[in-house]
Amino acid sequence: MRLWSRSRRDEGLTVGLVPTMGYFHEGHLRLIEQAKAIADTVVVSLFVNPIQFGPQEDLAAYPRDLARDRAAALARGADCLFVPTEGDMYPAPQVVRVVPGSLADHLCGARRPGHFEGVLTVVLKLLNIVEPQVAVFGRKDVQQAVLIRRMVGDLNVATEIVIAPTVREADGLAMSSRNAYLTPEERRVAPALARGLEAAHAAFAAGVRDVGALLAAARAPIEEVGALALEYLEIVDPVSLAPSDAPGEESIVAVAARLGAARLIDNVTLGEGTSGDVRVGA
Ligand code: AMP
């Protein structure tokens, strides 16, 4: 992989990387398109990274379809698919890892011990293997995006990090490979999560600045759906990810909930709202 990448760079081309775990939806494909708009050649990595899954999580069940992914990625501008095996990435147990520090104390990091250590470690490995000038990540996984930006800054990694907008279904549901776990009935009620975020955004736009009132606005549509079990719903600072008691334009409303077999996450920036997101087929 590194030889391929270095050959492209020797030819004077820039290399972009889109790291993924596969099972592509339109969100992944837009990242590939965005990478292609910035870089001359685009590498898409597909690797379901075992060290970012907890023992009780869905590693074995995680959906996979390499043939479909390959066709879709190539059709949308990928020049190279990097599909390492677990043995390629972890020929020996990974002893040295990237420690995310306090940014993992909040949101998903607080509920998924070791998750972001696994994510940052695999992302740094991929950046070192591919040596891209630019790498594109999705805004949907906002804590991941903040942590990767911070890792690249704190560890002087020579890759520019670009964060692409969240891509949503026509009814607002943020696209996710894990939406495949939803039954038709669960899929029908799942957009309540996005409606909750929209309600907080609308309340902020209407002048509400009280955290409790903003969260109450977000909670109402979500709690209407009995099947949605909230894991967290918080307004956080975009840099520290700590709960914010004085929400501003840049503050992020972040939510995680369980719905049947799926764990869904979503977020929105209060001042920017859903206008920064992309709805497909709306
Ligand atoms: P995953 O395969 O779920 O690990 O995601 C790979 C990349 O796609 C990550 O940078 C995600 O943030 C991004 N991504 C996943 N879902 C979406 C979405 N709905 N909109 C934008 N980016 C997304």
Side-chain angles (χ1 to χ4, degrees):
M1 181 66 251
R2 185 180 283 149
L3 279 177
W4 187 92
S5 208
R6 285 194 178 170
S7 303
R8 300 291 83 72
R9 294 179 66 146
D10 288 347
E11 291 166 13
L13 302 175
T14 54
V15 176
L17 172 66
V18 180
T20 80
M21 299 206 300
Y23 210 69
F24 293 158
H25 50 66
E26 188 62 24
H28 294 113
L29 300 174
R30 300 274 171 125
L31 297 190
I32 296 170
E33 281 183 349
Q34 183 152 354
K36 190 69 178 187
I38 304 168
D40 299 321
T41 54
V42 171
V43 178
V44 177
S45 65
L46 290 91
F47 180 61
V48 181
N49 174 37
I51 71 165
Q52 73 185 63
F53 287 77
Q56 309 302 325
E57 293 182 2
D58 57 343
L59 174 61
Y62 200 82
R64 292 163 167 90
D65 189 343
L66 183 56
R68 190 183 61 112
D69 285 350
R70 179 189 287 122
L74 295 177
R76 301 294 275 271
D79 298 282
C80 173
L81 265 61
F82 178 48
V83 192
T85 65
E86 201 177 320
D88 293 331
M89 291 299 278
Y90 302 111
Q94 187 76 23
V95 173
V96 178
R97 299 187 184 199
V98 180
V99 177
S102 61
L103 287 176
D105 293 347
H106 309 288
L107 308 176
C108 292
R111 280 89 183 168
R112 302 183 71 188
H115 171 67
F116 286 115
E117 190 175 300
V119 169
L120 294 183
T121 300
V122 81
V123 169
L124 186 58
K125 284 163 74 75
L126 291 167
L127 294 174
N128 284 333
I129 293 166
V130 178
E131 299 181 330
Q133 282 103 329
V134 60
V136 184
F137 296 86
R139 176 54 206 274
K140 211 260 303 182
D141 301 279
V142 69
Q143 187 169 22
Q144 171 175 289
V146 169
L147 270 161
I148 288 168
R149 257 195 204 292
R150 192 59 186 249
M151 171 178 75
V152 162
D154 286 359
L155 300 181
N156 307 89
V157 180
T159 299
E160 180 197 341
I161 302 300
V162 170
I163 307 302
T166 298
V167 179
R168 300 175 178 282
E169 304 281 359
D171 60 11
L173 177 65
M175 291 193 181
S176 164
S177 306
R178 289 187 167 102
N179 292 348
Y181 299 149
L182 300 174
T183 65
E185 174 56 17
E186 287 162 357
R187 173 62 190 83
R188 195 181 62 74
V189 298
L193 225 47
R195 281 204 303 280
L197 298 180
E198 279 167 31
H201 172 254
F204 184 84
V208 178
R209 293 294 179 271
D210 176 67
V211 175
L214 291 167
L215 290 178
R219 207 176 289 118
I222 299 171
E223 288 185 342
E224 261 177 41
V225 176
L228 264 169
L230 268 182
E231 213 173 78
Y232 63 75
L233 172 63
E234 289 180 37
I235 299 178
V236 299
D237 178 87
V239 177
S240 71
L241 299 177
S244 164
D245 45 20
E249 305 264 319
E250 307 289 317
S251 303
I252 296 165
V253 194
V255 68
R258 293 196 177 272
L259 182 56
R263 180 178 181 279
L264 306 178
I265 61 171
D266 200 352
N267 72 90
V268 74
T269 296
L270 273 176
E272 167 187 291
T274 49
S275 59
D277 300 349
V278 177
R279 279 201 193 204
V280 172

